[in-house]
Amino acid sequence: MRSKLLIRMSVLCWVLFLSCQTVPITGREQLSLVSSEQIRAMSLDAYRMFLSKHEVIRGTPEAEQVNRVGRRIKKAVETYFTERNVSDRLGGYEWEFNLIKDSSKNAWAMPGGKVAVYTGILPITRGDEGLAVVMGHEIAHVVANHGNERMSQALLAQMGGMALGVALSEHPEQTQNLFAAAFGLGTQVGFLLPYSRLQESEADHLGLIFMAMA
């Protein structure tokens, strides 16, 4: 029994060793048990479902502002990554910026470049510069792969490092809940909280760089 446990632990350690990557720009090592392709596919489904249940505002000055600021942040991100020869990390991104009718003071972004800004935050951001700070921060979370990292941590902590495809097949509801927690779509899972300040600080750093360039 002990030998089997040691073997399992050795295999897990090897998997963790092979599953580390670095955060773009900052160089911090992070756990990555989930492929970008899988996360983008799940994000696209979640984003489409969200839009189907919420009112998207189009054709107004406020909606145009969200698109204008979003496009400038997007260009800054792409330029920054290209200059550092890591533009491949943005492969598969299909950027989209939507203004959502909701009084909540909120904005968020998902892998693949899907961004939502709530009308409730516009009185606080006021002009393009304030909105750029918010959107730059949220987009920084995405390009720094923070959601992937949190999902990987969840798979490791609750499913022993199980591959995402296997987890979805064998534990679909639990895996969807982990995804929601990892990307802020539901109640945060307790064990993820200690990591949040590090990721928030990283997003502040990167987001201000992108905002300044834009």
Side-chain angles (χ1 to χ4, degrees):
M1 178 68 70
R2 185 178 179 182
S3 61
K4 290 182 179 180
L5 179 59
L6 289 174
I7 292 173
R8 289 177 181 175
M9 291 180 64
S10 298
V11 171
L12 180 57
C13 288
W14 181 245
V15 169
L16 293 178
F17 175 76
L18 295 176
S19 301
C20 285
Q21 65 177 17
T22 58
V23 178
I25 306 169
T26 69
R28 176 178 66 86
E29 288 193 355
Q30 62 184 173
L31 181 66
S32 180
L33 299 174
V34 183
S35 74
S36 297
E37 291 77 12
Q38 288 175 310
I39 285 293
R40 282 199 302 269
M42 294 182 71
S43 296
L44 180 58
D45 289 341
Y47 192 72
R48 285 173 174 169
M49 182 171 293
F50 173 85
L51 294 183
S52 71
K53 296 180 179 180
H54 295 78
E55 182 179 348
V56 180
I57 298 178
R58 306 183 192 279
T60 67
E62 293 78 13
E64 174 52 33
Q65 181 188 46
V66 169
N67 271 286
R68 179 175 65 253
V69 172
R71 289 194 301 268
R72 291 173 66 178
I73 295 289
K74 164 188 173 290
K75 183 178 179 181
V77 170
E78 292 174 342
T79 298
Y80 199 91
F81 275 52
T82 298
E83 289 175 349
R84 284 150 184 80
N85 298 315
V86 289
S87 58
D88 59 303
R89 293 182 182 245
L90 300 176
Y93 272 58
E94 296 180 1
W95 297 88
E96 189 174 341
F97 310 97
N98 281 303
L99 178 61
I100 307 301
K101 186 176 182 180
D102 192 301
S103 61
S104 302
K105 301 173 179 62
N106 196 22
W108 46 264
M110 300 187 74
K114 306 303 182 184
V115 182
V117 175
Y118 293 7
T119 54
I121 204 171
L122 295 182
I124 297 174
T125 58
R126 299 185 180 181
D128 285 12
E129 292 80 6
L131 185 57
V133 172
V134 172
M135 295 182 72
H137 176 91
E138 297 304 326
I139 289 171
H141 274 305
V142 169
V143 299
N145 295 321
H146 287 163
N148 306 46
E149 182 179 16
R150 290 166 72 90
M151 187 68 182
S152 297
Q153 292 163 352
L155 288 172
L156 178 62
Q158 297 197 18
M159 298 186 183
M162 183 180 296
L164 178 59
V166 177
L168 282 170
S169 176
E170 297 183 2
H171 309 283
E173 184 175 355
Q174 183 181 0
T175 305
Q176 291 292 344
N177 289 338
L178 292 179
F179 175 84
F183 290 91
L185 302 179
T187 302
Q188 293 298 316
V189 178
F191 74 87
L192 288 176
L193 295 180
Y195 297 91
S196 64
R197 285 313 314 160
L198 173 62
Q199 294 176 335
E200 290 297 328
S201 296
E202 207 164 53
D204 284 340
H205 177 196
L206 301 180
L208 288 175
I209 292 174
F210 301 146
M211 182 272 288
M213 291 180 63

